[in-house]
Amino acid sequence: MWNFKAQQRIFQIGGVNIGGVPGERPVVLVGTLFYHHHRIVKDEEAGTFDEEVADGLVKAQDEMSDKTGNPAMIDVVGASVPAMKRHLEFVADRTKAPIMVDSPSADIRAGGLSYAKEQGILDRVIYNSINPSSKPDELKALQSSGVKSAVILAYNMKDFSTAGRVSAVREVMTKRQELGIEKPLIDTCVLDLPTLGQALLALFQLKDELGFPVGCGAHNAVALWRGLKTKMGEQAVKPCLASADAASAAVGADFILYGPIDHAKVVFPAVAMVDTAYSQIPMEKKIPIPKTHPRYRIG
């Protein structure tokens, strides 16, 4: 079924393996914490939040990862450098999962990398993200930080098509070695529901062409679906979230940014189901499946 042109790369980041042939390895699921308007955040600039609830959310994702066999990461957002430091310290102390450093501001992301380096956790960190529009100052800061993994966002301001996404990634990939990015993760950029299809096609094409781990933030398709709640009802949100992520896994995603970490209990079973279904393909070819795979955990 999977006859990729390029050899499929598998990277280890913070003890988590990501990449490879679908069915032979489980999809890595990334929940976002401390995002804008997250209910647990008290003061975005100061980085204060409800620590008890945040601790519960981190533990809930880890528990779902253990139950399903799908590895987990946390996308940590900060609205200021002090907030980013507080958030990174909190998460790093409570889970062994790899951490994405995320913020609308490149300066804040750079501050997060500096803190991670000071604390000796840079090997667990992924910079989120760079694209063809990233400024020279940001790229210089990224290069000097020593971080080895970054998300390459397939965002093309001039061409929002599937082909535009592919060309955006090709452009950034020409710079990755000089930036010191040894373990690139490609995000094919879901902006809304219509672009989910483009992102999924680009995901498969880039995995086929380059062989590097590829994924997307499929939850954006649901989060920005204006008529979902008004026309379908509140109860339709969770099934649609699960469906968007399951669709991503079905076309070969190596990782999925599933949005708010609050949705871990909805997303992990849906993706584990797809992983388990596809695991039968390599097994028919006598390719061994590790006992940590969802196939052996969700039945």
Side-chain angles (χ1 to χ4, degrees), residues 4-6 8 161-167 170 188 198-211 214 251:
F4 297 115
K5 297 174 186 175
Q8 297 302 299
S161 68
T162 299
R165 284 168 167 75
V166 172
S167 66
R170 288 174 181 159
T188 54
Q198 294 172 313
L200 295 186
L201 179 56
L203 186 154
F204 183 85
Q205 290 180 355
L206 286 163
K207 188 169 178 61
D208 183 52
E209 177 183 330
L210 301 176
V214 175
V251 298

mmCIF file with all atom_site columns, all heavy atoms in Angstrom, residues 4-6 8 161-167 170 188 198-211 214 251:
data_model
loop_
_atom_site.group_PDB
_atom_site.id
_atom_site.type_symbol
_atom_site.label_atom_id
_atom_site.label_alt_id
_atom_site.label_comp_id
_atom_site.label_asym_id
_atom_site.label_entity_id
_atom_site.label_seq_id
_atom_site.pdbx_PDB_ins_code
_atom_site.Cartn_x
_atom_site.Cartn_y
_atom_site.Cartn_z
_atom_site.occupancy
_atom_site.B_iso_or_equiv
_atom_site.pdbx_formal_charge
_atom_site.auth_seq_id
_atom_site.auth_comp_id
_atom_site.auth_asym_id
_atom_site.auth_atom_id
_atom_site.pdbx_PDB_model_num
ATOM 1   N N   . PHE A 1 4   ? 6.530  4.500  -0.975 1.00 0.00 ? 4   PHE A N   1
ATOM 2   C CA  . PHE A 1 4   ? 7.126  5.829  -1.033 1.00 0.00 ? 4   PHE A CA  1
ATOM 3   C C   . PHE A 1 4   ? 8.408  5.834  -1.852 1.00 0.00 ? 4   PHE A C   1
ATOM 4   O O   . PHE A 1 4   ? 9.193  4.887  -1.811 1.00 0.00 ? 4   PHE A O   1
ATOM 5   C CB  . PHE A 1 4   ? 7.436  6.332  0.384  1.00 0.00 ? 4   PHE A CB  1
ATOM 6   C CG  . PHE A 1 4   ? 6.233  6.513  1.251  1.00 0.00 ? 4   PHE A CG  1
ATOM 7   C CD1 . PHE A 1 4   ? 6.044  5.728  2.378  1.00 0.00 ? 4   PHE A CD1 1
ATOM 8   C CD2 . PHE A 1 4   ? 5.290  7.482  0.957  1.00 0.00 ? 4   PHE A CD2 1
ATOM 9   C CE1 . PHE A 1 4   ? 4.939  5.899  3.194  1.00 0.00 ? 4   PHE A CE1 1
ATOM 10  C CE2 . PHE A 1 4   ? 4.172  7.662  1.769  1.00 0.00 ? 4   PHE A CE2 1
ATOM 11  C CZ  . PHE A 1 4   ? 4.003  6.870  2.887  1.00 0.00 ? 4   PHE A CZ  1
ATOM 12  N N   . LYS A 1 5   ? 8.615  6.928  -2.575 1.00 0.00 ? 5   LYS A N   1
ATOM 13  C CA  . LYS A 1 5   ? 9.848  7.072  -3.357 1.00 0.00 ? 5   LYS A CA  1
ATOM 14  C C   . LYS A 1 5   ? 11.052 7.259  -2.445 1.00 0.00 ? 5   LYS A C   1
ATOM 15  O O   . LYS A 1 5   ? 12.109 6.677  -2.667 1.00 0.00 ? 5   LYS A O   1
ATOM 16  C CB  . LYS A 1 5   ? 9.713  8.267  -4.306 1.00 0.00 ? 5   LYS A CB  1
ATOM 17  C CG  . LYS A 1 5   ? 8.629  8.135  -5.353 1.00 0.00 ? 5   LYS A CG  1
ATOM 18  C CD  . LYS A 1 5   ? 8.486  9.425  -6.143 1.00 0.00 ? 5   LYS A CD  1
ATOM 19  C CE  . LYS A 1 5   ? 7.312  9.362  -7.105 1.00 0.00 ? 5   LYS A CE  1
ATOM 20  N NZ  . LYS A 1 5   ? 7.096  10.668 -7.800 1.00 0.00 ? 5   LYS A NZ  1
ATOM 21  N N   . ALA A 1 6   ? 10.900 8.118  -1.450 1.00 0.00 ? 6   ALA A N   1
ATOM 22  C CA  . ALA A 1 6   ? 12.010 8.429  -0.550 1.00 0.00 ? 6   ALA A CA  1
ATOM 23  C C   . ALA A 1 6   ? 12.052 7.462  0.626  1.00 0.00 ? 6   ALA A C   1
ATOM 24  O O   . ALA A 1 6   ? 11.019 6.953  1.069  1.00 0.00 ? 6   ALA A O   1
ATOM 25  C CB  . ALA A 1 6   ? 11.869 9.856  -0.024 1.00 0.00 ? 6   ALA A CB  1
ATOM 26  N N   . GLN A 1 8   ? 11.987 6.516  4.293  1.00 0.00 ? 8   GLN A N   1
ATOM 27  C CA  . GLN A 1 8   ? 11.277 7.172  5.376  1.00 0.00 ? 8   GLN A CA  1
ATOM 28  C C   . GLN A 1 8   ? 12.164 7.291  6.624  1.00 0.00 ? 8   GLN A C   1
ATOM 29  O O   . GLN A 1 8   ? 12.620 6.285  7.158  1.00 0.00 ? 8   GLN A O   1
ATOM 30  C CB  . GLN A 1 8   ? 9.985  6.425  5.696  1.00 0.00 ? 8   GLN A CB  1
ATOM 31  C CG  . GLN A 1 8   ? 8.998  6.409  4.546  1.00 0.00 ? 8   GLN A CG  1
ATOM 32  C CD  . GLN A 1 8   ? 8.611  7.804  4.086  1.00 0.00 ? 8   GLN A CD  1
ATOM 33  O OE1 . GLN A 1 8   ? 8.059  8.590  4.842  1.00 0.00 ? 8   GLN A OE1 1
ATOM 34  N NE2 . GLN A 1 8   ? 8.902  8.125  2.833  1.00 0.00 ? 8   GLN A NE2 1
ATOM 35  N N   . SER A 1 161 ? -2.143 27.024 -2.446 1.00 0.00 ? 161 SER A N   1
ATOM 36  C CA  . SER A 1 161 ? -2.518 25.724 -3.003 1.00 0.00 ? 161 SER A CA  1
ATOM 37  C C   . SER A 1 161 ? -1.646 24.614 -2.421 1.00 0.00 ? 161 SER A C   1
ATOM 38  O O   . SER A 1 161 ? -0.686 24.859 -1.687 1.00 0.00 ? 161 SER A O   1
ATOM 39  C CB  . SER A 1 161 ? -2.363 25.744 -4.518 1.00 0.00 ? 161 SER A CB  1
ATOM 40  O OG  . SER A 1 161 ? -0.990 25.844 -4.874 1.00 0.00 ? 161 SER A OG  1
ATOM 41  N N   . THR A 1 162 ? -1.976 23.375 -2.791 1.00 0.00 ? 162 THR A N   1
ATOM 42  C CA  . THR A 1 162 ? -1.143 22.235 -2.401 1.00 0.00 ? 162 THR A CA  1
ATOM 43  C C   . THR A 1 162 ? 0.268  22.413 -2.931 1.00 0.00 ? 162 THR A C   1
ATOM 44  O O   . THR A 1 162 ? 1.251  22.210 -2.202 1.00 0.00 ? 162 THR A O   1
ATOM 45  C CB  . THR A 1 162 ? -1.750 20.927 -2.945 1.00 0.00 ? 162 THR A CB  1
ATOM 46  O OG1 . THR A 1 162 ? -3.053 20.742 -2.390 1.00 0.00 ? 162 THR A OG1 1
ATOM 47  C CG2 . THR A 1 162 ? -0.869 19.742 -2.598 1.00 0.00 ? 162 THR A CG2 1
ATOM 48  N N   . ALA A 1 163 ? 0.375  22.794 -4.196 1.00 0.00 ? 163 ALA A N   1
ATOM 49  C CA  . ALA A 1 163 ? 1.689  23.001 -4.808 1.00 0.00 ? 163 ALA A CA  1
ATOM 50  C C   . ALA A 1 163 ? 2.464  24.102 -4.093 1.00 0.00 ? 163 ALA A C   1
ATOM 51  O O   . ALA A 1 163 ? 3.689  24.011 -3.910 1.00 0.00 ? 163 ALA A O   1
ATOM 52  C CB  . ALA A 1 163 ? 1.538  23.348 -6.284 1.00 0.00 ? 163 ALA A CB  1
ATOM 53  N N   . GLY A 1 164 ? 1.757  25.149 -3.655 1.00 0.00 ? 164 GLY A N   1
ATOM 54  C CA  . GLY A 1 164 ? 2.399  26.226 -2.915 1.00 0.00 ? 164 GLY A CA  1
ATOM 55  C C   . GLY A 1 164 ? 2.965  25.748 -1.594 1.00 0.00 ? 164 GLY A C   1
ATOM 56  O O   . GLY A 1 164 ? 4.048  26.180 -1.175 1.00 0.00 ? 164 GLY A O   1
ATOM 57  N N   . ARG A 1 165 ? 2.248  24.857 -0.932 1.00 0.00 ? 165 ARG A N   1
ATOM 58  C CA  . ARG A 1 165 ? 2.738  24.291 0.319  1.00 0.00 ? 165 ARG A CA  1
ATOM 59  C C   . ARG A 1 165 ? 4.009  23.480 0.098  1.00 0.00 ? 165 ARG A C   1
ATOM 60  O O   . ARG A 1 165 ? 4.978  23.584 0.849  1.00 0.00 ? 165 ARG A O   1
ATOM 61  C CB  . ARG A 1 165 ? 1.658  23.402 0.951  1.00 0.00 ? 165 ARG A CB  1
ATOM 62  C CG  . ARG A 1 165 ? 0.538  24.165 1.609  1.00 0.00 ? 165 ARG A CG  1
ATOM 63  C CD  . ARG A 1 165 ? -0.629 23.242 1.950  1.00 0.00 ? 165 ARG A CD  1
ATOM 64  N NE  . ARG A 1 165 ? -1.584 23.860 2.848  1.00 0.00 ? 165 ARG A NE  1
ATOM 65  C CZ  . ARG A 1 165 ? -2.462 24.787 2.486  1.00 0.00 ? 165 ARG A CZ  1
ATOM 66  N NH1 . ARG A 1 165 ? -2.505 25.198 1.219  1.00 0.00 ? 165 ARG A NH1 1
ATOM 67  N NH2 . ARG A 1 165 ? -3.296 25.316 3.364  1.00 0.00 ? 165 ARG A NH2 1
ATOM 68  N N   . VAL A 1 166 ? 3.994  22.684 -0.938 1.00 0.00 ? 166 VAL A N   1
ATOM 69  C CA  . VAL A 1 166 ? 5.164  21.854 -1.247 1.00 0.00 ? 166 VAL A CA  1
ATOM 70  C C   . VAL A 1 166 ? 6.378  22.724 -1.569 1.00 0.00 ? 166 VAL A C   1
ATOM 71  O O   . VAL A 1 166 ? 7.488  22.474 -1.090 1.00 0.00 ? 166 VAL A O   1
ATOM 72  C CB  . VAL A 1 166 ? 4.851  20.890 -2.414 1.00 0.00 ? 166 VAL A CB  1
ATOM 73  C CG1 . VAL A 1 166 ? 6.114  20.160 -2.866 1.00 0.00 ? 166 VAL A CG1 1
ATOM 74  C CG2 . VAL A 1 166 ? 3.773  19.888 -2.006 1.00 0.00 ? 166 VAL A CG2 1
ATOM 75  N N   . SER A 1 167 ? 6.172  23.767 -2.361 1.00 0.00 ? 167 SER A N   1
ATOM 76  C CA  . SER A 1 167 ? 7.293  24.639 -2.728 1.00 0.00 ? 167 SER A CA  1
ATOM 77  C C   . SER A 1 167 ? 7.825  25.388 -1.517 1.00 0.00 ? 167 SER A C   1
ATOM 78  O O   . SER A 1 167 ? 9.034  25.639 -1.411 1.00 0.00 ? 167 SER A O   1
ATOM 79  C CB  . SER A 1 167 ? 6.868  25.623 -3.820 1.00 0.00 ? 167 SER A CB  1
ATOM 80  O OG  . SER A 1 167 ? 5.884  26.532 -3.353 1.00 0.00 ? 167 SER A OG  1
ATOM 81  N N   . ARG A 1 170 ? 10.107 23.011 0.332  1.00 0.00 ? 170 ARG A N   1
ATOM 82  C CA  . ARG A 1 170 ? 11.363 22.837 -0.417 1.00 0.00 ? 170 ARG A CA  1
ATOM 83  C C   . ARG A 1 170 ? 12.300 24.016 -0.184 1.00 0.00 ? 170 ARG A C   1
ATOM 84  O O   . ARG A 1 170 ? 13.506 23.845 -0.017 1.00 0.00 ? 170 ARG A O   1
ATOM 85  C CB  . ARG A 1 170 ? 11.060 22.700 -1.910 1.00 0.00 ? 170 ARG A CB  1
ATOM 86  C CG  . ARG A 1 170 ? 10.426 21.378 -2.319 1.00 0.00 ? 170 ARG A CG  1
ATOM 87  C CD  . ARG A 1 170 ? 10.037 21.431 -3.776 1.00 0.00 ? 170 ARG A CD  1
ATOM 88  N NE  . ARG A 1 170 ? 9.407  20.201 -4.237 1.00 0.00 ? 170 ARG A NE  1
ATOM 89  C CZ  . ARG A 1 170 ? 8.630  20.135 -5.323 1.00 0.00 ? 170 ARG A CZ  1
ATOM 90  N NH1 . ARG A 1 170 ? 8.391  21.238 -6.047 1.00 0.00 ? 170 ARG A NH1 1
ATOM 91  N NH2 . ARG A 1 170 ? 8.099  18.989 -5.696 1.00 0.00 ? 170 ARG A NH2 1
ATOM 92  N N   . THR A 1 188 ? 2.047  20.774 7.263  1.00 0.00 ? 188 THR A N   1
ATOM 93  C CA  . THR A 1 188 ? 1.518  21.198 5.968  1.00 0.00 ? 188 THR A CA  1
ATOM 94  C C   . THR A 1 188 ? 0.427  22.265 6.046  1.00 0.00 ? 188 THR A C   1
ATOM 95  O O   . THR A 1 188 ? -0.200 22.574 5.041  1.00 0.00 ? 188 THR A O   1
ATOM 96  C CB  . THR A 1 188 ? 1.004  19.984 5.162  1.00 0.00 ? 188 THR A CB  1
ATOM 97  O OG1 . THR A 1 188 ? 0.067  19.249 5.938  1.00 0.00 ? 188 THR A OG1 1
ATOM 98  C CG2 . THR A 1 188 ? 2.160  19.076 4.778  1.00 0.00 ? 188 THR A CG2 1
ATOM 99  N N   . GLN A 1 198 ? -6.162 20.242 1.093  1.00 0.00 ? 198 GLN A N   1
ATOM 100 C CA  . GLN A 1 198 ? -4.890 20.619 0.482  1.00 0.00 ? 198 GLN A CA  1
ATOM 101 C C   . GLN A 1 198 ? -3.719 20.190 1.356  1.00 0.00 ? 198 GLN A C   1
ATOM 102 O O   . GLN A 1 198 ? -2.704 19.690 0.858  1.00 0.00 ? 198 GLN A O   1
ATOM 103 C CB  . GLN A 1 198 ? -4.845 22.134 0.286  1.00 0.00 ? 198 GLN A CB  1
ATOM 104 C CG  . GLN A 1 198 ? -5.851 22.671 -0.713 1.00 0.00 ? 198 GLN A CG  1
ATOM 105 C CD  . GLN A 1 198 ? -5.869 24.193 -0.699 1.00 0.00 ? 198 GLN A CD  1
ATOM 106 O OE1 . GLN A 1 198 ? -5.919 24.817 0.357  1.00 0.00 ? 198 GLN A OE1 1
ATOM 107 N NE2 . GLN A 1 198 ? -5.838 24.798 -1.877 1.00 0.00 ? 198 GLN A NE2 1
ATOM 108 N N   . ALA A 1 199 ? -3.866 20.396 2.659  1.00 0.00 ? 199 ALA A N   1
ATOM 109 C CA  . ALA A 1 199 ? -2.791 20.047 3.583  1.00 0.00 ? 199 ALA A CA  1
ATOM 110 C C   . ALA A 1 199 ? -2.547 18.544 3.620  1.00 0.00 ? 199 ALA A C   1
ATOM 111 O O   . ALA A 1 199 ? -1.398 18.088 3.689  1.00 0.00 ? 199 ALA A O   1
ATOM 112 C CB  . ALA A 1 199 ? -3.126 20.561 4.985  1.00 0.00 ? 199 ALA A CB  1
ATOM 113 N N   . LEU A 1 200 ? -3.607 17.754 3.549  1.00 0.00 ? 200 LEU A N   1
ATOM 114 C CA  . LEU A 1 200 ? -3.451 16.303 3.579  1.00 0.00 ? 200 LEU A CA  1
ATOM 115 C C   . LEU A 1 200 ? -2.796 15.789 2.298  1.00 0.00 ? 200 LEU A C   1
ATOM 116 O O   . LEU A 1 200 ? -1.967 14.872 2.333  1.00 0.00 ? 200 LEU A O   1
ATOM 117 C CB  . LEU A 1 200 ? -4.803 15.628 3.799  1.00 0.00 ? 200 LEU A CB  1
ATOM 118 C CG  . LEU A 1 200 ? -5.482 15.902 5.148  1.00 0.00 ? 200 LEU A CG  1
ATOM 119 C CD1 . LEU A 1 200 ? -6.741 15.057 5.285  1.00 0.00 ? 200 LEU A CD1 1
ATOM 120 C CD2 . LEU A 1 200 ? -4.543 15.661 6.308  1.00 0.00 ? 200 LEU A CD2 1
ATOM 121 N N   . LEU A 1 201 ? -3.147 16.390 1.161  1.00 0.00 ? 201 LEU A N   1
ATOM 122 C CA  . LEU A 1 201 ? -2.501 15.994 -0.091 1.00 0.00 ? 201 LEU A CA  1
ATOM 123 C C   . LEU A 1 201 ? -1.023 16.380 -0.064 1.00 0.00 ? 201 LEU A C   1
ATOM 124 O O   . LEU A 1 201 ? -0.157 15.583 -0.454 1.00 0.00 ? 201 LEU A O   1
ATOM 125 C CB  . LEU A 1 201 ? -3.199 16.656 -1.286 1.00 0.00 ? 201 LEU A CB  1
ATOM 126 C CG  . LEU A 1 201 ? -2.613 16.335 -2.665 1.00 0.00 ? 201 LEU A CG  1
ATOM 127 C CD1 . LEU A 1 201 ? -2.579 14.829 -2.915 1.00 0.00 ? 201 LEU A CD1 1
ATOM 128 C CD2 . LEU A 1 201 ? -3.419 17.041 -3.762 1.00 0.00 ? 201 LEU A CD2 1
ATOM 129 N N   . ALA A 1 202 ? -0.734 17.580 0.418  1.00 0.00 ? 202 ALA A N   1
ATOM 130 C CA  . ALA A 1 202 ? 0.659  18.017 0.525  1.00 0.00 ? 202 ALA A CA  1
ATOM 131 C C   . ALA A 1 202 ? 1.430  17.128 1.486  1.00 0.00 ? 202 ALA A C   1
ATOM 132 O O   . ALA A 1 202 ? 2.609  16.821 1.266  1.00 0.00 ? 202 ALA A O   1
ATOM 133 C CB  . ALA A 1 202 ? 0.718  19.469 0.989  1.00 0.00 ? 202 ALA A CB  1
ATOM 134 N N   . LEU A 1 203 ? 0.769  16.705 2.554  1.00 0.00 ? 203 LEU A N   1
ATOM 135 C CA  . LEU A 1 203 ? 1.391  15.816 3.534  1.00 0.00 ? 203 LEU A CA  1
ATOM 136 C C   . LEU A 1 203 ? 1.886  14.532 2.860  1.00 0.00 ? 203 LEU A C   1
ATOM 137 O O   . LEU A 1 203 ? 3.045  14.137 3.010  1.00 0.00 ? 203 LEU A O   1
ATOM 138 C CB  . LEU A 1 203 ? 0.363  15.493 4.627  1.00 0.00 ? 203 LEU A CB  1
ATOM 139 C CG  . LEU A 1 203 ? 0.763  14.692 5.848  1.00 0.00 ? 203 LEU A CG  1
ATOM 140 C CD1 . LEU A 1 203 ? -0.170 15.037 7.014  1.00 0.00 ? 203 LEU A CD1 1
ATOM 141 C CD2 . LEU A 1 203 ? 0.700  13.196 5.602  1.00 0.00 ? 203 LEU A CD2 1
ATOM 142 N N   . PHE A 1 204 ? 1.006  13.915 2.085  1.00 0.00 ? 204 PHE A N   1
ATOM 143 C CA  . PHE A 1 204 ? 1.391  12.671 1.413  1.00 0.00 ? 204 PHE A CA  1
ATOM 144 C C   . PHE A 1 204 ? 2.485  12.924 0.375  1.00 0.00 ? 204 PHE A C   1
ATOM 145 O O   . PHE A 1 204 ? 3.451  12.160 0.275  1.00 0.00 ? 204 PHE A O   1
ATOM 146 C CB  . PHE A 1 204 ? 0.171  12.036 0.737  1.00 0.00 ? 204 PHE A CB  1
ATOM 147 C CG  . PHE A 1 204 ? 0.493  10.714 0.082  1.00 0.00 ? 204 PHE A CG  1
ATOM 148 C CD1 . PHE A 1 204 ? 0.477  9.548  0.821  1.00 0.00 ? 204 PHE A CD1 1
ATOM 149 C CD2 . PHE A 1 204 ? 0.838  10.646 -1.256 1.00 0.00 ? 204 PHE A CD2 1
ATOM 150 C CE1 . PHE A 1 204 ? 0.793  8.326  0.231  1.00 0.00 ? 204 PHE A CE1 1
ATOM 151 C CE2 . PHE A 1 204 ? 1.156  9.436  -1.856 1.00 0.00 ? 204 PHE A CE2 1
ATOM 152 C CZ  . PHE A 1 204 ? 1.133  8.275  -1.112 1.00 0.00 ? 204 PHE A CZ  1
ATOM 153 N N   . GLN A 1 205 ? 2.363  13.993 -0.388 1.00 0.00 ? 205 GLN A N   1
ATOM 154 C CA  . GLN A 1 205 ? 3.345  14.286 -1.428 1.00 0.00 ? 205 GLN A CA  1
ATOM 155 C C   . GLN A 1 205 ? 4.728  14.552 -0.843 1.00 0.00 ? 205 GLN A C   1
ATOM 156 O O   . GLN A 1 205 ? 5.748  14.082 -1.375 1.00 0.00 ? 205 GLN A O   1
ATOM 157 C CB  . GLN A 1 205 ? 2.885  15.479 -2.266 1.00 0.00 ? 205 GLN A CB  1
ATOM 158 C CG  . GLN A 1 205 ? 1.687  15.177 -3.157 1.00 0.00 ? 205 GLN A CG  1
ATOM 159 C CD  . GLN A 1 205 ? 1.251  16.382 -3.983 1.00 0.00 ? 205 GLN A CD  1
ATOM 160 O OE1 . GLN A 1 205 ? 1.777  17.483 -3.838 1.00 0.00 ? 205 GLN A OE1 1
ATOM 161 N NE2 . GLN A 1 205 ? 0.270  16.178 -4.846 1.00 0.00 ? 205 GLN A NE2 1
ATOM 162 N N   . LEU A 1 206 ? 4.778  15.303 0.272  1.00 0.00 ? 206 LEU A N   1
ATOM 163 C CA  . LEU A 1 206 ? 6.066  15.622 0.878  1.00 0.00 ? 206 LEU A CA  1
ATOM 164 C C   . LEU A 1 206 ? 6.688  14.409 1.560  1.00 0.00 ? 206 LEU A C   1
ATOM 165 O O   . LEU A 1 206 ? 7.910  14.224 1.528  1.00 0.00 ? 206 LEU A O   1
ATOM 166 C CB  . LEU A 1 206 ? 5.898  16.768 1.874  1.00 0.00 ? 206 LEU A CB  1
ATOM 167 C CG  . LEU A 1 206 ? 5.686  18.139 1.231  1.00 0.00 ? 206 LEU A CG  1
ATOM 168 C CD1 . LEU A 1 206 ? 5.113  19.128 2.229  1.00 0.00 ? 206 LEU A CD1 1
ATOM 169 C CD2 . LEU A 1 206 ? 6.999  18.649 0.641  1.00 0.00 ? 206 LEU A CD2 1
ATOM 170 N N   . LYS A 1 207 ? 5.863  13.582 2.141  1.00 0.00 ? 207 LYS A N   1
ATOM 171 C CA  . LYS A 1 207 ? 6.381  12.353 2.741  1.00 0.00 ? 207 LYS A CA  1
ATOM 172 C C   . LYS A 1 207 ? 6.953  11.446 1.661  1.00 0.00 ? 207 LYS A C   1
ATOM 173 O O   . LYS A 1 207 ? 8.011  10.833 1.837  1.00 0.00 ? 207 LYS A O   1
ATOM 174 C CB  . LYS A 1 207 ? 5.260  11.646 3.506  1.00 0.00 ? 207 LYS A CB  1
ATOM 175 C CG  . LYS A 1 207 ? 5.727  10.453 4.344  1.00 0.00 ? 207 LYS A CG  1
ATOM 176 C CD  . LYS A 1 207 ? 4.622  9.989  5.275  1.00 0.00 ? 207 LYS A CD  1
ATOM 177 C CE  . LYS A 1 207 ? 5.075  8.758  6.071  1.00 0.00 ? 207 LYS A CE  1
ATOM 178 N NZ  . LYS A 1 207 ? 6.249  9.038  6.921  1.00 0.00 ? 207 LYS A NZ  1
ATOM 179 N N   . ASP A 1 208 ? 6.267  11.392 0.537  1.00 0.00 ? 208 ASP A N   1
ATOM 180 C CA  . ASP A 1 208 ? 6.720  10.591 -0.594 1.00 0.00 ? 208 ASP A CA  1
ATOM 181 C C   . ASP A 1 208 ? 8.010  11.135 -1.188 1.00 0.00 ? 208 ASP A C   1
ATOM 182 O O   . ASP A 1 208 ? 8.925  10.381 -1.516 1.00 0.00 ? 208 ASP A O   1
ATOM 183 C CB  . ASP A 1 208 ? 5.621  10.559 -1.658 1.00 0.00 ? 208 ASP A CB  1
ATOM 184 C CG  . ASP A 1 208 ? 5.965  9.680  -2.844 1.00 0.00 ? 208 ASP A CG  1
ATOM 185 O OD1 . ASP A 1 208 ? 6.328  8.505  -2.630 1.00 0.00 ? 208 ASP A OD1 1
ATOM 186 O OD2 . ASP A 1 208 ? 5.860  10.163 -3.986 1.00 0.00 ? 208 ASP A OD2 1
ATOM 187 N N   . GLU A 1 209 ? 8.109  12.455 -1.307 1.00 0.00 ? 209 GLU A N   1
ATOM 188 C CA  . GLU A 1 209 ? 9.260  13.082 -1.959 1.00 0.00 ? 209 GLU A CA  1
ATOM 189 C C   . GLU A 1 209 ? 10.487 13.187 -1.065 1.00 0.00 ? 209 GLU A C   1
ATOM 190 O O   . GLU A 1 209 ? 11.619 12.919 -1.505 1.00 0.00 ? 209 GLU A O   1
ATOM 191 C CB  . GLU A 1 209 ? 8.875  14.488 -2.426 1.00 0.00 ? 209 GLU A CB  1
ATOM 192 C CG  . GLU A 1 209 ? 10.024 15.267 -3.054 1.00 0.00 ? 209 GLU A CG  1
ATOM 193 C CD  . GLU A 1 209 ? 9.619  16.680 -3.441 1.00 0.00 ? 209 GLU A CD  1
ATOM 194 O OE1 . GLU A 1 209 ? 8.434  16.907 -3.761 1.00 0.00 ? 209 GLU A OE1 1
ATOM 195 O OE2 . GLU A 1 209 ? 10.502 17.563 -3.415 1.00 0.00 ? 209 GLU A OE2 1
ATOM 196 N N   . LEU A 1 210 ? 10.272 13.567 0.214  1.00 0.00 ? 210 LEU A N   1
ATOM 197 C CA  . LEU A 1 210 ? 11.407 13.868 1.091  1.00 0.00 ? 210 LEU A CA  1
ATOM 198 C C   . LEU A 1 210 ? 11.697 12.788 2.128  1.00 0.00 ? 210 LEU A C   1
ATOM 199 O O   . LEU A 1 210 ? 12.839 12.618 2.546  1.00 0.00 ? 210 LEU A O   1
ATOM 200 C CB  . LEU A 1 210 ? 11.162 15.202 1.804  1.00 0.00 ? 210 LEU A CB  1
ATOM 201 C CG  . LEU A 1 210 ? 10.957 16.417 0.900  1.00 0.00 ? 210 LEU A CG  1
ATOM 202 C CD1 . LEU A 1 210 ? 10.636 17.647 1.742  1.00 0.00 ? 210 LEU A CD1 1
ATOM 203 C CD2 . LEU A 1 210 ? 12.187 16.665 0.032  1.00 0.00 ? 210 LEU A CD2 1
ATOM 204 N N   . GLY A 1 211 ? 10.657 12.126 2.610  1.00 0.00 ? 211 GLY A N   1
ATOM 205 C CA  . GLY A 1 211 ? 10.855 11.069 3.592  1.00 0.00 ? 211 GLY A CA  1
ATOM 206 C C   . GLY A 1 211 ? 10.983 11.539 5.027  1.00 0.00 ? 211 GLY A C   1
ATOM 207 O O   . GLY A 1 211 ? 11.178 10.729 5.936  1.00 0.00 ? 211 GLY A O   1
ATOM 208 N N   . VAL A 1 214 ? 6.131  14.118 8.707  1.00 0.00 ? 214 VAL A N   1
ATOM 209 C CA  . VAL A 1 214 ? 5.174  15.104 8.212  1.00 0.00 ? 214 VAL A CA  1
ATOM 210 C C   . VAL A 1 214 ? 3.892  15.020 9.040  1.00 0.00 ? 214 VAL A C   1
ATOM 211 O O   . VAL A 1 214 ? 3.465  13.943 9.456  1.00 0.00 ? 214 VAL A O   1
ATOM 212 C CB  . VAL A 1 214 ? 4.863  14.848 6.721  1.00 0.00 ? 214 VAL A CB  1
ATOM 213 C CG1 . VAL A 1 214 ? 3.770  15.779 6.229  1.00 0.00 ? 214 VAL A CG1 1
ATOM 214 C CG2 . VAL A 1 214 ? 6.105  15.025 5.871  1.00 0.00 ? 214 VAL A CG2 1
ATOM 215 N N   . VAL A 1 251 ? -3.858 9.284  5.966  1.00 0.00 ? 251 VAL A N   1
ATOM 216 C CA  . VAL A 1 251 ? -3.063 9.583  4.765  1.00 0.00 ? 251 VAL A CA  1
ATOM 217 C C   . VAL A 1 251 ? -1.569 9.560  5.055  1.00 0.00 ? 251 VAL A C   1
ATOM 218 O O   . VAL A 1 251 ? -0.767 9.907  4.200  1.00 0.00 ? 251 VAL A O   1
ATOM 219 C CB  . VAL A 1 251 ? -3.455 10.935 4.131  1.00 0.00 ? 251 VAL A CB  1
ATOM 220 C CG1 . VAL A 1 251 ? -4.896 10.920 3.684  1.00 0.00 ? 251 VAL A CG1 1
ATOM 221 C CG2 . VAL A 1 251 ? -3.203 12.100 5.086  1.00 0.00 ? 251 VAL A CG2 1
#
